[in-house]
Amino acid sequence: MYHFTALITLLAILMYFFTCINVARSRGRTGVKVPAMSGHPDFERAFRIQMNTLEWMPIFLPSLWLFAIYISDAIAAAIGAVWIVGRIVYFVGYSKAAAKRSPGFAIQGIASIALWAGALGAVVLRLV
């Protein structure tokens, strides 16, 4: 069973849901009306946080699950938790200024690469 990985998946989805709500709240605070996608720097940063999280989900989630299946549920979940922490650091930093997004981006990027590389290595080893 993959209970830890399932929990991390649900927390990652919650994190993404939170970024969606943040964009809606930012629209209200900044006056950027739908369907506009720009107009106020605070809104634009909130929107980019949401979109960047969405862009990474198709890399993160399959890698997380393949790592869990081929290597370890607990280790996948631990690395997945690091990814979520990275996304939170990214959110906090980028919300303040675009230049402050890098540490969180690096944390989540390294976690994603670790999951992907681990899964790829485990699959290849089983094919040989």
Side-chain angles (χ1 to χ4, degrees), residues 32-97:
V32 177
K33 304 293 181 202
V34 173
M37 303 308 275
S38 63
H40 191 283
D42 291 344
F43 169 76
E44 290 172 10
R45 286 193 309 275
F47 181 69
R48 279 308 309 147
I49 292 166
Q50 178 198 6
M51 288 296 97
N52 188 264
T53 302
L54 180 61
E55 291 161 4
W56 276 89
M57 297 281 279
I59 298 167
F60 168 69
L61 288 173
S63 299
L64 173 74
W65 278 94
L66 290 168
F67 190 104
I69 292 165
Y70 282 92
I71 297 176
S72 165
D73 175 42
I75 296 171
I79 298 170
V82 170
W83 186 86
I84 292 169
V85 168
R87 292 312 310 178
I88 292 168
V89 171
Y90 181 84
F91 177 92
V92 170
Y94 206 167
S95 292
K96 293 176 184 174

Side-chain angles (χ1 to χ4, degrees), residues 4-5 8 24 29 42 54-55 65 98 101 106 113 121:
F4 294 123
T5 301
I8 291 300
R29 281 193 310 270
D42 291 344
L54 180 61
E55 291 161 4
W65 278 94
R101 72 189 190 281
I113 290 166

